[in-house]
Amino acid sequence: MSEAKHPLSQRDFAGYRGNPPNPRWPNGARVAVSLVVNFEEGSEFSINDGDANNEAIYEVVHQLKGPDSCIDGHFEYGTRAAWWRIMDLFDAHGVKVTVSSCGRAVERSPELARDAIARGHEVSAHGWRWQSHADMDEASEREVIAKTVAAIERVTGQRPVGWHTRSATSPNTRRLLVEDGGFLYDSDAYNDDLPYYHEVSGKQHLVLPYAFDTNDMQYYNAGRFSGQDFADYVIDAFEWLTRESDTSPKMMSIGLHLRMIGRPGRIGALDRILAHIAGNSAAWIAPRAAIARHWKEVVPAEK
């Protein structure tokens, strides 16, 4: 896939045109499953932290223009209680995941990022603050990327090789990631069930698409969305992709957030999902960096 398919647009509606490559996932797996834990707590906007406004997207309906200890507390729950519940569950099922981490969250709770590394998970980059990059100027965005990488590397001892922007990117984001030179992949796409290469500044850059539907943010979007609803939806998606993979292996992303899935009434959904998928020979559960490295080895970019 190239940067421009038409002089008026950079969009690509064709993709693999119904003929995707076979990535030959390890051990004959049919679906590569990527569990992504978004570690954002402490990077959200909060007047109590000196910001001009509070984070506006969450389950709390009543939002204040001044300091809001209520919404602050919901985010704090993620690092105080939910982290340990989620990570212990991953250990119980023997799965490794990607912890998509905002630099400021890592800086404020470094013990959590180190815990992720100690348990064998990938720590990738999710921006400095939990914010869109859509309106950032190039110089500011370059600084944000460098600052995020430096914070994660300083705390964990490992440089992040993956990037995901909160929602919309700027026109410069992907080019800046490529220019940085240290990124194996980005996840700033929602347009496919398989990784693909995208030409950026004459280089073939790997994109691992993400997903919002198999994502626990649906608890926010649908107030009566139960744990069983979420488990059923994710398992249904996995089963359908497995069915399609008779002829075309696929990749599946499951997006999680500490303050969402980590609640006692919701963690059971993740337990049911893992019980169904982790013991299934059709699944290869792996961090995104491992999926990216495998893809590059088996499906090399065109010259």
Side-chain angles (χ1 to χ4, degrees):
M1 296 188 180
S2 62
E3 285 186 288
K5 292 293 183 181
H6 186 280
L8 298 181
S9 175
Q10 294 186 11
R11 300 178 68 186
D12 184 344
F13 291 97
Y16 288 117
R17 296 174 172 83
N19 187 32
N22 186 339
R24 303 194 300 277
W25 301 127
N27 302 316
R30 296 155 73 182
V31 182
V33 179
S34 166
L35 291 148
V36 178
V37 177
N38 293 278
F39 176 22
E40 300 152 345
E41 286 73 6
S43 67
E44 78 281 359
F45 290 98
S46 168
I47 289 176
N48 277 322
D49 278 344
D51 296 315
N53 55 278
N54 296 308
E55 174 53 48
I57 298 180
Y58 197 56
E59 293 172 287
V60 179
V61 176
H62 178 243
Q63 295 171 347
L64 302 179
K65 293 183 179 179
D68 192 338
S69 60
C70 176
I71 195 167
D72 285 352
H74 279 79
F75 276 85
E76 291 163 12
Y77 185 88
T79 55
R80 292 168 62 101
W83 175 276
W84 312 103
R85 183 175 292 134
I86 295 168
M87 291 297 155
D88 288 348
L89 185 60
F90 289 148
D91 286 350
H93 286 277
V95 301
K96 305 303 179 187
V97 310
T98 294
V99 181
S100 185
S101 308
C102 292
R104 194 180 186 199
V106 168
E107 188 175 73
R108 298 181 82 168
S109 300
E111 70 281 6
L112 301 189
R114 294 189 189 108
D115 181 63
I117 295 296
R119 295 179 193 247
H121 303 303
E122 172 194 7
V123 175
S124 65
H126 193 26
W128 177 249
R129 302 294 299 270
W130 191 44
Q131 65 182 136
S132 168
H133 283 208
D135 297 324
M136 280 190 187
D137 63 76
E138 182 171 337
S140 297
E141 188 171 20
R142 181 180 284 107
E143 181 181 354
V144 161
I145 292 170
K147 189 176 182 181
T148 304
V149 169
I152 293 174
E153 188 169 18
R154 182 172 60 251
V155 167
T156 67
Q158 297 183 13
R159 191 233 139 88
V161 297
W163 178 276
H164 182 214
T165 310
R166 175 186 175 179
S167 300
T169 62
S170 82
N172 303 309
T173 306
R174 188 162 283 158
R175 175 175 56 80
L176 293 175
L177 296 177
V178 170
E179 289 178 2
D180 173 89
F183 287 102
L184 180 66
Y185 71 90
D186 78 59
S187 297
D188 289 333
Y190 310 87
N191 55 2
D192 214 304
D193 295 314
L194 280 175
Y196 59 84
Y197 293 102
H198 187 89
E199 185 179 329
V200 183
S201 302
K203 298 180 180 179
Q204 292 295 320
H205 174 68
L206 186 61
V207 179
L208 270 61
Y210 192 51
F212 279 170
D213 65 321
T214 47
N215 191 305
D216 66 2
M217 283 296 282
Q218 296 302 330
Y219 285 121
Y220 163 77
N221 294 328
R224 300 209 178 263
F225 195 72
S226 71
Q228 187 63 53
D229 291 332
F230 184 56
D232 286 347
Y233 188 93
V234 172
I235 290 170
D236 283 350
F238 172 77
E239 288 298 322
W240 192 270
L241 290 176
T242 301
R243 174 177 166 181
E244 287 186 351
S245 295
D246 284 340
T247 56
S248 177
K250 294 294 195 300
M251 174 182 167
M252 176 180 178
S253 296
I254 303 174
L256 306 169
H257 298 75
L258 301 180
R259 59 196 179 277
M260 292 288 182
I261 201 67
R263 290 282 177 175
R266 296 169 177 166
I267 194 69
L270 181 57
D271 191 27
R272 289 191 289 275
I273 291 167
L274 294 175
H276 184 88
I277 296 177
N280 193 320
S281 62
W284 175 44
I285 302 178
R288 292 175 96 76
I291 295 172
R293 291 188 177 101
H294 176 87
W295 187 272
K296 285 196 166 191
E297 180 178 344
V298 176
V299 188
E302 297 179 1
K303 301 297 184 181

